[in-house]
Structure formats: structure tokens, C-alpha cells
Amino acid sequence: MTDQVTPEASVPGAPEAKPTSASRTTLSHIMTGSDTNLLGTVHGGVIMKLVDDAAGAVAGRHSGGPAVTASMDEMVFLEPVRVGDLVHVKAQVNWTGRSSMEVGVRVMAERWNESTPATQVGSAYLVFAAVDADGKPRPVPPVVPETERDKRRYQEAQIRRTHRLARRRAIKELREKRAAEGFQD
């Protein structure tokens, strides 16, 4: 892993770098009875869809076009969300590669009729791939972290990427080894 937190020098023909603030967004939604699970709280899948929607908007804004969800890491539910909660899904690009982007998402909730501060109820990291009209990967602009928090998030995203690639490689090697041993999984 590198300690560098700013993108490499511009490559001719590559998209121009963008600051984290250029595509940051918040999606807000009030939770209703149709969002509940069997326990009477908001279904995790409803929250996950809001997370994916907000992250997708950020990825599309940053990349300047279509981007598809490639993976979701570490979807964490910290507190239950209830009917009547106003949920705010805050998303930003944390890191960019050649055609991929990690988007960090923080989920906040507050009662719709109270003036108490919102509390964090969840978080997630998603990887998006920018695609062209044929569905092929296309280059994305480098992201430029602006604040110390952005720099920390950029560095943490590099760690998560290293772990994703190592995990993928280890699983591939295990499957190849098992196939060579005659196992048909």
C-alpha cells in the first residue's frame, strides 16, 4: 500500500481529477409501514437499496456517466430504523482506480417529528465500475481528497481494495487446487 493520497499526475486523454466534494450527496427518505420487516422495524433490504441508490448517484456523478455496482463491503447495521424515522444516506467517493470507485456511505436517522440530532444507524462501502454504452469499463477521474477525513477515507479504501484482491486471489487458488485434486465443487 502506498501512503500517497493524491492522484498521479494527469495522463494524456485521462479524465481530469475531481475533489471529493464534487459528487458527494445525501438522499433522504421517510420510513413508512410498507418498509417494515416481521419485527416491525425497517427491513435491512430497504436500507441497502437506499445505500445503493445514493452510492450509484455519487458514482455516476463522479465518473460522468453510467456506473454499475460491482460489490458491497461491510454493510453494517448499528441501530434499528423505525417507521417514522427520517433516514439520511450520505455518500462520497473515497478512492478511484482506472475504472472503479469505492463509495463510502453513512446512514443517519432521526425522528420525523422531533428536533433531536440524527444518529448513525449504518454504514457501507460499495465498489462501482464505470461503463460505456456497450457495458465495457471506461476510465474514471481520479478523486482528490480535500480534508483530513477524506485523506483517511482514501487510505482506508486502499486497504480494503488490497484485502478484496487478496481474498479473491486466495479463493481462486483454493478452487484451482481442489479442481486439480479431483473435487467437483
Side-chain angles (χ1 to χ4, degrees):
M1 185 186 85
T2 177
D3 288 330
Q4 187 174 357
V5 293
T6 55
E8 299 292 325
S10 293
V11 176
E16 194 169 321
K18 293 182 178 180
T20 51
S21 63
S23 57
R24 190 177 290 142
T25 194
T26 300
L27 171 69
S28 296
H29 189 79
I30 193 160
M31 299 291 104
T32 66
S34 64
D35 299 319
T36 60
N37 58 27
L38 296 175
L39 298 175
T41 56
V42 173
H43 195 287
V46 171
I47 300 299
M48 289 174 75
K49 182 179 184 325
L50 293 173
V51 164
D52 192 45
D53 287 347
V58 167
R61 282 179 169 189
H62 183 82
S63 69
V68 295
T69 310
S71 70
M72 179 183 272
D73 283 356
E74 301 179 36
M75 181 71 219
V76 177
F77 298 99
L78 302 169
E79 297 285 336
V81 177
R82 302 173 295 156
V83 170
D85 281 353
L86 181 57
V87 173
H88 307 285
V89 184
K90 300 171 180 272
Q92 77 171 48
V93 173
N94 290 336
W95 176 90
T96 54
R98 189 183 59 75
S99 61
S100 64
M101 302 158 274
E102 183 194 91
V103 178
V105 181
R106 177 173 290 140
V107 183
M108 309 292 288
E110 61 182 305
R111 294 305 295 165
W112 70 274
N113 60 346
E114 296 175 9
S115 59
T116 56
T119 59
Q120 185 173 354
V121 295
S123 65
Y125 300 100
L126 297 87
V127 177
F128 280 80
V131 295
D132 63 18
D134 297 321
K136 303 290 185 210
R138 63 181 175 80
V140 299
V143 67
V144 179
E146 298 173 282
T147 66
E148 286 305 312
R149 176 184 245 181
D150 292 342
K151 290 174 185 175
R152 175 189 54 80
R153 291 172 70 128
Y154 185 95
Q155 291 171 324
E156 290 174 357
Q158 289 177 308
I159 294 168
R160 282 187 292 275
R161 180 175 188 274
T162 299
H163 289 202
R164 276 192 298 273
L165 294 174
R167 183 176 59 235
R168 186 179 306 148
R169 189 172 40 256
I171 290 170
K172 181 181 177 192
E173 289 170 3
L174 175 64
R175 288 181 179 174
E176 289 170 352
K177 178 181 178 228
R178 289 183 54 81
E181 294 170 349
F183 292 100
Q184 301 297 323
D185 294 335

